[in-house]
């Protein structure tokens, strides 16, 4: 199993191509990937972030009449 990477809000925002403000808003509303606080710093474990991404995956829907 690969080592867990703990990303800061800044690092995760860059990884997800979202603003830091979006991640802060998600935390405030109980959305987004799981995180923990360590000495006041918010950290996002990579394994939990990947699980969250997978849980939000949407598969394309095939249109009628398209092969």
């Amino acid at each position: 199993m690969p080592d867990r990477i703990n990303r800061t809000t800044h690092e995760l925002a860059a990884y997800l191509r979202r603003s830091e403000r979006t991640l802060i808003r998600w935390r405030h509303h109980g959305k987004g990937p799981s995180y923990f606080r360590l000495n006041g710093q918010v950290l996002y474990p990579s394994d939990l972030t990947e699980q969250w991404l997978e849980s939000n995956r949407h598969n394309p829907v095939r249109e009628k009449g398209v092969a």
Side-chain angles (χ1 to χ4, degrees):
M1 181 173 155
D3 292 332
R4 173 189 274 188
I5 297 170
N6 294 316
R7 293 184 175 100
T8 64
T9 301
H10 177 78
E11 292 168 334
L12 186 63
Y15 177 72
L16 295 176
R17 298 180 183 174
R18 298 291 180 259
S19 70
E20 290 182 54
R21 185 70 195 128
T22 295
L23 295 180
I24 292 167
R25 191 176 325 109
W26 287 351
R27 285 198 309 264
H28 179 75
H29 292 289
K31 299 179 180 180
S34 296
Y35 64 93
F36 60 92
R37 290 186 188 270
L38 183 61
N39 297 324
Q41 184 179 27
V42 173
L43 296 172
Y44 294 89
S46 57
D47 56 338
L48 299 179
T49 298
E50 295 304 319
Q51 287 175 11
W52 175 78
L53 284 170
E54 282 296 316
S55 73
N56 285 283
R57 180 198 307 220
H58 295 274
N59 292 320
V61 177
R62 190 178 266 176
E63 294 182 29
K64 289 183 180 181
V66 176

